[in-house]
Amino acid sequence: MMDEDAVANGPVGSTRTLLFRVGERVYGCDIAAVREIVPFRPATRLPGAPPYVLGLINLRGILTTVLDLGGWLEPERSPAEGGSIVLVDHGARHVGLAVDEMLDVQGIVPEPLGDVASGRGGVLKGVGRMDETVVILLDVSTLVEQVLA
Amino acid sequence: MDSAQYAELFLTESREHVSAMNHALLALEQAGDAGGVVAGDQVSAIFRAVHTVKGMSATMGYTAIADLSHQLESLLDRVRRGALQVSPQLMDLLFRSADTLEAAVEEAVQGRDAPPGTASLLDALRTFSRTSGGMTAIPAPTTGSVWSVEVPDGDGVGIRVRLVRDTPLRGVRAYLVVEAARRLGTVTAISPSIGQLQAEQFGDDFALRLVTDDVEGALAMLRSAGDVADAVLAESAPEMFDLLALEHAGPGLVPGGGSAGPRVQHHVRIDLRRLDALMNLIGELVITRGRLVQLAMAADDVALTETVAQASRLVGDLQDEIMQSRMVPVGQVFDRFPRLVRDVARTLEKQVAFTIEGTDIELDRSMLDEIGDPVMHLIRNALDHGVESPAVRVAAGKPPQGRLTLSAFRDRSAVVVRVEDDGRGIDRARVIARARERGLIHGNGADLTDDDVVKLITRAGFSTAERVTDISGRGVGLDVVVAGVRSLGGSVDVRSTPGRGTSVTMRLPLTLAIQRSLLARVGGETYALPLTHVSETVELTPETLQAVKGREVLVLREDVLPVLRLRELVGLPRSAQADPEQVVVLETADRRAALIVDDLTTQLEIVVKQFDGVRGGSTLFGGATILGDGAPALILDVSSLL
């Protein structure tokens, strides 16, 4: 199924990728992991949680933990106060990722990341190109696993 | 019809009957101990329970259970008629039968074979009948045979006929019986058909419908027909298919020694999942109501406000009804403990008088399902480690028979369940030794207060049992019980006096799903405090706050309570001194503390929802809820706080 999508939507070997902006950079994640995108809304703070955890939001009666992707990527940044929340499924769990701006969905050919940027527990899993811009590809499942208790 | 549905119903009802049987057995044993007089009522009660299980299992096609209950019934019938005396051997056999029956029921419903030991028990039952009564074969008793044929539909009464086993010319015999019936009235239906009967295509029994004025006379005539073992009126449909069993006596079938007497109830059996779904829906409705009320207030329209107020009241009533429909008396779980205590006490060769109080106290079904195991472990612990052997007790100047009490009572919006014994109490030296071994403390523990020592037992990873016995070992110590109760939003208090006994008190919310809570605010954030753990609220005045040994305490009447500040707990800066503050007195089963908050807004029912915690996040919150404005609010887990 993934291959068919790639053929229909982009160059050979590409993955349908949701692209969004966080700070000055463009990031992307596999669209298959994304369930929904909702406008930013204030979250109820979770005391004791790391600063990049914005807290809980009520999503049609389901409590969803929201992470500030900007805060996680660049700890010195001030927390998100607008933009969108990308809801990703991870097994039975749903986690929201606050991003500054939604950009596009495109077929992106992932390339391995150089040694320099690797790390962050495998969340940064590759790079790709959107027109002339370098896109950093995220493995959101790994991110969710790292952050949730 | 879904057979799984019937299997579930069969399971529920059979459990009730086995429970009734155990009750009657215990009463019978006590009556026997008291003076050797056979309590006919109890034997009849056991007989009825076994008989019903037999009927139901035969209908379900669980032949192993039907066979077992049939043998058991034959034995009981002889006891009932006085042909067999109640002896300790008989009691043991009957208790064993009850256990096997229970196990067989569970297995059968899972589609598995009868448990190992069933065959040997059947042999034992047969042997017992032979050796102590001189009877070599057990004939099928009048009321207690397994019938293989359904009574056909039709006018008149249903009659079942059984031919003498292995009778020659069965087809002819059957035909003659039918002919005899036809002379007595009008035969409206036969099963199997008359043709099949003549062709001997039937088992030992067949059934027919007969329209007659004199049923008893007809039965007598049929019985006297050649080679007829039995002819009986067909019973009405088995109880388990009676979904709308009004005036259904249920488990109250057995006069359980007075307190657990028969209760006539108007009951309908409902799938628990239905009730859960209703509970969820009403939870959502309660949240929506909160929003609606806020919107109506903002709209400032009299008609709208009135309508919303009425709808709001109705939602409240609906919620009460749904909650009520989920409430079950704790007796449903407690009922199995007398038997447990008897067996464990026997194994340990201890003497125990076991008392149960407050069996009619009600708890939400979801909660009740969860407390059975903790209570069982507490009882086992009390018998294993608490109550001493008779010799030790006498040497300590106590009566040889120990006391063990299980009680339940309501306390505000909580239910308290307590297990209390008059045994040796908690052994301080042993606890300290074990805690050191487990690395829970360092040093000799001389500076620990008794309270600290008790607290050690409830710490995770502690277990006082020095060896794994089959009584309370199994690695389940008090620490595990405490963790379990806390996960239910409850708390546990352990009190112990060396040589005098131990009491373990569990304080539980009425339900898991909805909790009445107080909403507290600090720095613009709202937190919910479950009322189960709130004893009172007071306004903070500077003079009530004092420092004792460098720790802040609050003096409330004669009590001195440690002070906690919600702002600190949730990582907010202290408020300016000028702000008026409120104090919430929190209590668990054993501890109290004063929680200082900025303000208290309201008291309301909240729906408890789980959320995914994050690494490093505070463990002070047992869940969260959604407030009237749609915002999530965290629920403080009081028992982990104190």
Side-chain angles (χ1 to χ4, degrees):
Chain A
M1 196 179 82
M2 192 64 78
D3 287 338
E4 278 170 27
D5 282 353
V7 170
N9 299 293
V12 177
S14 71
T15 306
R16 295 253 295 155
T17 304
L18 178 72
L19 300 163
F20 42 84
R21 184 179 60 80
V22 179
E24 303 302 314
R25 285 211 153 113
V26 178
Y27 295 86
C29 71
D30 188 345
I31 191 88
V34 176
R35 187 162 58 110
E36 191 178 356
I37 296 155
V38 296
F40 182 84
R41 59 193 74 183
T44 297
R45 193 174 63 91
L46 287 172
Y52 55 81
V53 176
L54 289 176
L56 297 177
I57 59 167
N58 165 19
L59 196 71
R60 291 182 300 273
I62 295 169
L63 294 171
T64 308
T65 307
V66 179
L67 311 179
D68 181 15
L69 201 52
W72 186 81
L73 291 162
E74 303 162 33
E76 62 283 359
R77 253 178 58 116
S78 58
E81 287 172 354
S84 296
I85 296 174
V86 181
L87 290 157
V88 299
D89 282 346
H90 179 67
R93 297 163 139 189
H94 313 295
V95 172
L97 304 176
V99 303
D100 289 338
E101 188 189 359
M102 294 311 305
L103 298 175
D104 199 0
V105 177
Q106 286 190 9
I108 301 272
V109 183
E111 294 163 29
L113 210 58
D115 286 345
V116 191
S118 72
R120 305 235 62 169
V123 177
L124 311 182
K125 67 168 183 182
V127 289
R129 259 172 212 289
M130 176 186 75
D131 307 324
E132 290 310 303
T133 315
V134 174
V135 176
I136 298 172
L137 301 174
L138 304 176
D139 180 352
V140 286
S141 305
T142 308
L143 173 61
V144 170
E145 258 172 45
Q146 275 184 22
V147 173
L148 290 191
Chain B
M1 271 296 185
D2 181 6
S3 68
Q5 194 186 341
Y6 285 132
E8 221 166 89
L9 215 48
F10 169 76
L11 181 65
T12 319
E13 298 220 344
S14 299
R15 278 180 183 158
E16 282 170 9
H17 289 297
V18 172
S19 165
M21 188 180 164
N22 267 318
H23 262 279
L25 278 172
L26 286 171
L28 183 61
E29 189 176 54
Q30 272 161 18
D33 288 350
V37 182
V38 172
D41 282 358
Q42 306 304 351
V43 179
S44 297
I46 303 166
F47 186 89
R48 277 199 305 274
V50 172
H51 181 65
T52 312
V53 171
K54 186 175 86 170
M56 293 192 302
S57 51
T59 316
M60 295 294 295
Y62 301 145
T63 48
I65 304 173
D67 288 349
L68 179 59
S69 30
H70 176 66
Q71 284 299 336
L72 196 50
E73 203 181 47
S74 309
L75 186 66
L76 287 164
D77 190 43
R78 302 189 55 226
V79 178
R80 192 165 60 163
R81 287 188 282 105
L84 252 181
Q85 290 298 313
V86 176
S87 61
Q89 293 77 22
L90 178 69
M91 288 311 299
D92 279 344
L93 187 62
L94 291 178
F95 274 121
R96 196 175 132 203
S97 304
D99 290 343
T100 310
L101 201 57
E102 189 173 17
V105 164
E106 306 284 333
E107 297 293 313
V109 171
Q110 299 288 322
R112 291 193 292 259
D113 293 339
T118 308
S120 69
L121 178 66
L122 272 173
D123 284 346
L125 286 170
R126 284 197 200 96
T127 314
F128 200 88
S129 296
R130 266 203 295 279
T131 52
S132 40
M135 199 181 267
T136 46
I138 299 153
T142 335
T143 50
S145 314
V146 180
W147 301 97
S148 63
V149 178
E150 292 280 317
V151 178
D153 290 334
D155 290 334
V157 293
I159 294 175
R160 295 180 182 279
V161 181
R162 184 192 301 282
L163 295 182
V164 171
R165 185 164 290 203
D166 300 329
T167 195
L169 297 173
R170 295 187 309 131
V172 175
R173 292 291 171 205
Y175 179 75
L176 289 175
V177 171
V178 174
E179 280 301 298
R182 283 185 173 143
R183 283 196 295 276
L184 297 163
T186 312
V187 175
T188 56
I190 307 167
S191 172
S193 71
I194 190 77
Q196 284 169 310
L197 286 179
Q198 286 180 289
E200 297 195 3
Q201 288 166 358
F202 66 107
D204 286 333
D205 63 303
F206 58 96
L208 51 84
R209 288 229 172 246
L210 178 67
V211 180
T212 175
D213 296 334
D214 180 12
V215 176
E216 282 306 315
L219 286 174
M221 290 294 289
L222 293 181
R223 282 188 198 118
S224 62
D227 287 334
V228 169
D230 207 356
V232 295
L233 265 188
E235 290 155 19
S236 52
E239 207 179 343
M240 55 172 301
F241 294 104
D242 223 357
L243 281 168
L244 280 166
L246 294 177
E247 304 283 336
H248 165 54
L253 195 64
V254 180
S259 63
R263 265 196 303 273
V264 176
Q265 295 168 323
H266 296 266
H267 274 178
V268 178
R269 288 193 187 274
I270 299 181
D271 192 323
L272 260 183
R273 285 161 293 197
R274 279 254 150 83
L275 284 181
D276 287 344
L278 272 180
M279 191 73 163
N280 283 334
L281 286 173
I282 192 70
E284 298 297 325
L285 196 54
V286 166
I287 292 171
T288 313
R289 170 181 68 177
R291 282 171 131 160
L292 195 58
V293 169
Q294 284 191 345
L295 289 172
M297 268 160 60
D300 198 22
D301 175 325
V302 177
L304 179 64
T305 310
E306 269 179 20
T307 315
V308 167
Q310 192 179 355
S312 175
R313 215 168 31 247
L314 290 172
V315 168
D317 291 351
L318 191 58
Q319 189 193 350
D320 287 348
E321 286 297 323
I322 290 173
M323 295 277 286
Q324 206 52 50
S325 72
R326 295 172 52 92
M327 300 297 266
V328 234
V330 293
Q332 283 199 7
V333 164
F334 288 5
D335 272 0
R336 61 182 157 113
F337 294 129
R339 176 68 205 278
L340 174 86
V341 171
R342 169 198 177 268
D343 290 355
V344 175
R346 279 196 152 203
T347 313
L348 296 170
E349 294 178 354
K350 289 176 180 177
Q351 293 175 18
V352 183
F354 182 48
T355 320
I356 300 185
E357 290 163 9
T359 49
D360 53 346
I361 296 295
E362 291 186 322
L363 264 181
D364 184 88
R365 179 75 215 208
S366 56
M367 187 59 85
L368 195 68
D369 288 345
E370 300 293 331
I371 66 160
D373 283 351
V375 174
M376 182 192 74
H377 289 303
L378 292 179
I379 288 177
R380 282 170 173 263
N381 274 333
L383 291 169
D384 200 11
H385 310 301
V387 176
E388 314 90 327
S389 62
V392 172
R393 288 183 65 90
V394 170
K398 295 183 185 181
Q401 190 180 47
R403 274 191 297 109
L404 179 62
T405 309
L406 169 63
S407 53
F409 55 91
R410 272 295 283 274
D411 181 25
R412 289 194 296 278
S413 62
V415 164
V416 178
V417 176
R418 180 174 294 154
V419 176
E420 208 167 357
D421 67 64
D422 69 343
R424 62 169 70 92
I426 290 169
D427 185 339
R428 187 188 159 96
R430 237 174 78 187
V431 170
I432 290 173
R434 167 53 62 104
R436 286 180 59 184
E437 199 180 296
R438 294 274 163 148
L440 296 175
I441 56 163
H442 303 287
N444 61 8
D447 53 333
L448 294 174
T449 63
D450 286 349
D451 193 39
D452 291 336
V453 172
V454 167
K455 246 183 169 173
L456 278 175
I457 303 182
T458 62
R459 287 263 295 271
F462 188 95
S463 202
T464 39
E466 277 167 7
R467 66 205 147 82
V468 176
T469 66
D470 67 340
I471 306 301
S472 65
R474 293 180 183 179
V476 177
L478 203 52
D479 46 348
V480 179
V481 172
V482 169
V485 171
R486 280 193 175 163
S487 72
L488 301 174
S491 54
V492 180
D493 173 30
V494 183
R495 284 177 199 238
S496 184
T497 315
R500 299 280 295 281
T502 305
S503 86
V504 181
T505 306
M506 300 189 286
R507 195 181 168 84
L508 302 156
L510 289 178
T511 173
L512 284 174
I514 295 192
Q515 291 191 346
R516 222 175 152 72
S517 296
L518 200 58
L519 295 187
R521 287 185 68 81
V522 280
E525 297 179 346
T526 302
Y527 294 90
L529 312 174
L531 276 186
T532 320
H533 294 302
V534 172
S535 72
E536 65 183 303
T537 62
V538 286
E539 200 151 315
L540 185 66
T541 51
E543 56 271 24
T544 53
L545 271 184
Q546 294 178 11
V548 172
K549 290 183 193 162
R551 284 171 66 188
E552 211 175 11
V553 296
L554 183 113
V555 181
L556 182 68
R557 294 183 291 274
E558 69 275 25
D559 286 343
V560 176
L561 306 172
V563 168
L564 300 163
R565 288 178 183 271
L566 187 54
R567 278 179 167 269
E568 279 171 28
L569 295 173
V570 302
L572 291 175
R574 275 206 179 200
S575 61
Q577 285 298 317
D579 292 345
E581 289 172 313
Q582 296 281 327
V583 178
V584 183
V585 179
L586 299 176
E587 64 177 357
T588 59
D590 59 333
R591 272 158 246 277
R592 274 152 66 87
L595 181 74
I596 298 179
V597 303
D598 287 4
D599 197 9
L600 294 168
T601 52
T602 179
Q603 205 188 87
L604 80 172
E605 306 271 340
I606 58 166
V607 180
V608 181
K609 288 174 178 283
Q610 296 309 311
F611 63 89
D612 293 323
V614 293
R615 294 202 180 168
S618 168
T619 54
L620 287 178
F621 305 98
T625 188
I626 295 171
L627 299 176
D629 62 1
L634 296 169
I635 304 169
L636 201 65
D637 177 8
V638 175
S639 57
S640 77
L641 178 62
L642 299 192

